[in-house]
Amino acid sequence: MNNRIKKLREQSLNTPPSISGERARLLTEFYQSPEAQKVSIPVQRALAFKHIMEHKQICINEGELIVGERGPTPRATPTYPEINTHSLEDLDILDSREKTSYSVDSETRSLYRKEIIPFWKSRSIRDRIFQEVPDQWKHAYEAGIFTEFMEQRAPGHTVLDDKIYRKGFVDFKKSIQHSLDQLDYLKNPEAYSKKQHLKAMSIAADGIMALARRYSEKAAQMAQKQTNIQRKKELQKISDICSHVPAHAPRTFWEALQHYWFVHVGVITELNGWDSFNPGRLDQHLFPFYQKQINDKSLSKEEAQELLQSFWIKFNNQPAPPKVGVTAEESGTYTDFALINLGGVKTDGTDGVNELSFLILDVIEEMRILQPSSMVQISKKGPDRFLKRALKIIKTGFGQPSIFNTEAIIQELLRQGKSIEDARDGGASGCVETGAFGKENYTLTGYFNLPKVLEITLNNGADPRTGKKIGIETGDPIHFTEFQDLVKAFQKQLNHFIDIKITGNNIIERLYAEYIPAPFLSVLTSDCIQNGKDYHQGGARYNTTYIQGVGLGTITDCMTSMEYHVFDQKNISMEHLLQVLKNDFKGEEILRQRLVNKTPRYGMDDDYADKNLKTIFDLYYQAVNGRPNTKGGSYRINLLPTTVHVYFGKVTGATPNGRKASSPLSEGISPTQGADTLGPTAVLKSASKIDHVKTGGTLLNQKFNPQLFDDQGMDKLVKLIRSYFSMDGHHIQINVVSADTLRKAQENTEEYRNLIVRVAGYSDYFCDLSKELQDEIISRTEHKL
Amino acid sequence: MTTGIIFDLKKFAIHDGPGIRTTVFLKGCPLHCWWCHNPEGQSSNKDLFFNPEKCLEMCTDCITACPNQAITKNNDAGLLIDKNKCQLEGSCAESCPTQALSIIGHEINADELMKEILKDKTFYDHSKGGVTFSGGEPLVQLKFLNEVMQKCKHQNIHTVVDTCGLAPFEDFEKIMDKTDLFLYDLKMMDEKKHIQNTGYSNRKVLDNLKKLAKSGNRIYLRLPLIPDVNDSRENAQKTVDFIQTIPGIERIHLLPFHSAGTQKYQNLKRKTKDTTPLSEERVKELKEIYLKNGFSVKIGG
């Protein structure tokens, strides 16, 4: 890493995140202007976007090669009052909370008090959601049955394909004009509405070009004043590049990176989509530029590497927009889930691993920063040396890159009805979420607490924590005569809550469609321009809504525990068990130990336990999969938790698997922490018993002792992963930090400030995690030799 | 069908032969090396394991469960097991909520064992791995071993036999055609010392090794390195001299003594010697001797 990059990296790592009022101020300014009152909502949104782009502060950091910040300076994070209007109390909490805080200065506070809060209060999406959803939804939400991503952040999880490397915004504008010209007001009753959306898209395209123009001008000015000859040249070059992209398609490697970065800044400024945004298959997109310039010697490998490193820092300069309340608990991190995909297959199905895939891995290893996150797609056609190279980085213990199964991703997409080409061009984003990149609106709507639904089933519809009857009566379990009675009762309860969740989502999706169109994102997502429809309206080629199941390991072990002890062995009565759970095992440690140690468990490749895994999976799948959303697409399931398994654990009482009240649930599709004592092959076998292809992503974390990573061990890890993928496993991630090290880090945070661990589908600084989450990670089984 | 007695089944074994393997530990061994890291595998009978750390203070389930009244509890000493009364029938372990008590060794028939072995077949297939029979000394349960190996070969699963070499050669002959690779232990060359430390002469061990090699079997030699027992240069040189006379020793694995087995001795209520592992330099020095003589050597399995 050269000095330039070192400095930029230090700046990014050492600047504490802060809240910037700039975007909120510009947005409000526009919405209060007379111009805003004259136009339709989509055009209003587009003009607001353009206003921000034309007036936000331009920031070119010392020495940087790729330019563009979302905030006025690196790590300054804007707010999105139209989605969630932070109260003054929220700002205080953000400023002062122990973990993931954002400093808020008095100027921003005063801006919020005088301008932002008075204007946006009760107009924000968050306020509208809580006004519109039924009481049943609110009760379930408060009880911790599910969370709701869109109450503070816009629908996100979207990823770009290769279209921007072939087209600039001048070209996009031509396509928009073409669609406008095709509108038939006589025959198509939607023509007028389409016109509004297309006009909005065109204005948004102007907005991003305006921003680039301003960067070009600023760079030229700075070049003039610059005395250092080398930097002067660079600034002139930056100015040239910004006058070409994003208006026109890029011609060089540098232009391609800058082009993407403007698009990225545009998307994450237009809205605070969850996850941020993501270039997707970066090695595939950039390879033609790289190859051409390496061949004609206009770019060296070192220059390419430096540009990539400069690009990497830009991601890390943009912490996640701040979250509060439950939403902060379910995703307590600065990470904003941009996940670079490497490897996989090309559109024609051949191996996609190229020289650049390896070069980018070098960059990931050397940069060692949280954002962007990275993953490798391992296809059966890809070479072992690629996987091994990735494992060598994982071995250094920062949890990146994560490892994905290309064939599983393709099968999942095909099953959902995508074309084979779109499926091969797809990948995973965020943590593990499958998508057809650049062509799909796939929205994660919130986590779903499976063990909590079982708890409510065991209490005949009531939540024992509050005593409120929030579920339906499915019978008093003490009258169940066989295990199937319990399964049936659970299924009824599950369907009940899924109905409530979907009811809420269908309202929330429409709120976004009506009030918060995303014209800029629509330009980028096929086929919004062609359809004359906004991204939130169902304009994309594919539209999927996900509900993420959480606690699969915990609920499987709970079901097995009851099947085994209550119905098969009959060594404990349901009545007694329920009493013991109510008392949180007080005075019943012997019984609790028996439930923990003397029950077949998930993760041991034991069909007695794993059949219940399949049962729960199937019930969840049946409850959700294929139900229509409001965008012409379907609801689907995936299985991942971010940090919500800790929050869901807090609201869930003692469970029949011997888990005490308030302790974390199992994470992803991983077995209950500490239950998987037969080693990784048994875990992978158990995990492969669910049909991964029916999901949009599953998350399996495994912790390995660093010892395993010698040469011989590495070869065997490669085969271990290949075996899991041959059984259709979707994803596996490996933590290589020993529990001892983690315990030391808990005691001595200063010394271990830079320790990075894999949390769920992402990595984070260990010391930034809540104490509960730290303990949970320590308690995960560590596979030794 | 034959029933065998095994004391462990380790999945994802990556140091007991090529690829990812399942290692089956068969109970019973003719040798009684004091450094053995699987002391629970030496006896052909079951053993009772007690781990006091896991024992719950207020729990008396095992005392109630034992039909022979072999267990008592004493406030100071904790759980006491009367070995004369204990019939090793296992009710105590079954009742124990924390697995503080466990029975080492359980009966399993060839079909049941095959079912366990086959669970990881995908991993064997991808890694060119398979199953390793270890122990104890697997040849002690020849009939059972033979039957299971027959079944493995029927499904073309790669097999490794990890042996101490002390068995009638006819026994080796029975399993040779089903064994893809032998991991053959050689403790030391000096006969007297061998008797002293293991209870048996090494003549048969050396003789069997010669015969196995001459019959064209693939063999990796495994040499445990025990401080003050067989860690001399002299023993290494003698080993070299011996194996140079026989064909087909593909590789040598040096296995330095480690104290990982110490806890097991405690749980078995048996005594062992306090031994400090060899220094890395010493191990390297010994490795050099084999390397110099043209053998492929690895430290560890």
Side-chain angles (χ1 to χ4, degrees), chain A residues 589-591 593-598 604-607 678-682 684-685 704 708 710 712-713 716-717 719-720 722-724 726-727 784-785, chain B residues 9-20 56 58-61 92-99 101 118-120 122-124 126-127 298 301:
Chain A
E589 182 58 16
I590 295 173
L591 173 63
Q593 288 288 345
R594 182 162 293 128
L595 295 176
V596 170
N597 295 309
K598 297 279 171 157
M604 306 284 273
D605 195 10
D606 178 345
D607 283 336
L678 283 182
T681 60
L684 300 186
K685 275 290 302 292
F704 284 100
L708 188 68
D710 61 9
Q712 195 186 353
K716 294 185 182 180
L717 266 181
K719 301 304 178 195
L720 186 76
R722 292 267 187 203
S723 305
Y724 182 50
S726 78
M727 297 183 284
K784 291 184 183 150
L785 297 177
Chain B
L9 188 134
K10 184 175 165 35
K11 293 165 188 276
F12 195 59
I14 62 171
H15 294 299
D16 296 331
I20 296 171
L56 297 175
M58 64 286 193
C59 177
T60 54
D61 287 8
C92 59
E94 214 167 286
S95 76
C96 177
T98 63
Q99 289 162 335
L101 278 168
L118 285 172
K119 278 185 175 177
D120 275 7
T122 310
F123 302 97
Y124 314 149
H126 280 86
S127 67
K298 216 181 105 199

Side-chain angles (χ1 to χ4, degrees), chain B residues 134-170:
Chain B
S134 181
E137 167 51 55
L139 282 144
V140 167
Q141 300 185 45
L142 180 70
K143 204 169 161 217
F144 175 62
L145 177 69
N146 197 24
E147 191 174 335
V148 179
M149 290 185 78
Q150 183 84 51
K151 287 177 190 286
C152 287
K153 278 297 113 191
H154 187 245
Q155 299 208 33
N156 212 8
I157 292 173
H158 185 274
T159 56
V160 170
V161 172
D162 181 7
T163 177
C164 73
L166 193 69
F169 190 69
E170 303 82 75

Side-chain angles (χ1 to χ4, degrees), chain A residues 128-129 132-134 502-512 630 635:
Chain A
R128 289 188 206 269
I129 287 174
E132 298 283 355
V133 292
I502 289 181
T503 302
N505 285 144
N506 287 349
I507 294 167
I508 294 165
E509 279 184 1
R510 288 312 300 165
L511 287 173
Y512 274 94
T630 69
Y635 281 89

Side-chain angles (χ1 to χ4, degrees), chain B residues 37-103:
Chain B
H37 63 280
N38 286 329
E40 75 275 32
Q42 290 175 342
S43 152
S44 287
N45 299 320
K46 292 179 186 175
D47 287 301
L48 185 62
F49 233 49
F50 175 58
N51 182 351
E53 278 172 31
K54 287 188 179 172
C55 187
L56 297 175
E57 207 181 318
M58 64 286 193
C59 177
T60 54
D61 287 8
C62 56
I63 300 173
T64 322
C66 179
N68 305 307
Q69 284 87 43
I71 309 177
T72 49
K73 204 162 185 173
N74 175 310
N75 278 348
D76 302 323
L79 213 60
L80 296 171
I81 300 153
D82 186 339
K83 284 212 170 174
N84 295 322
K85 284 187 185 171
C86 174
Q87 307 280 319
L88 292 167
E89 52 71 61
S91 301
C92 59
E94 214 167 286
S95 76
C96 177
T98 63
Q99 289 162 335
L101 278 168
S102 51
I103 291 283

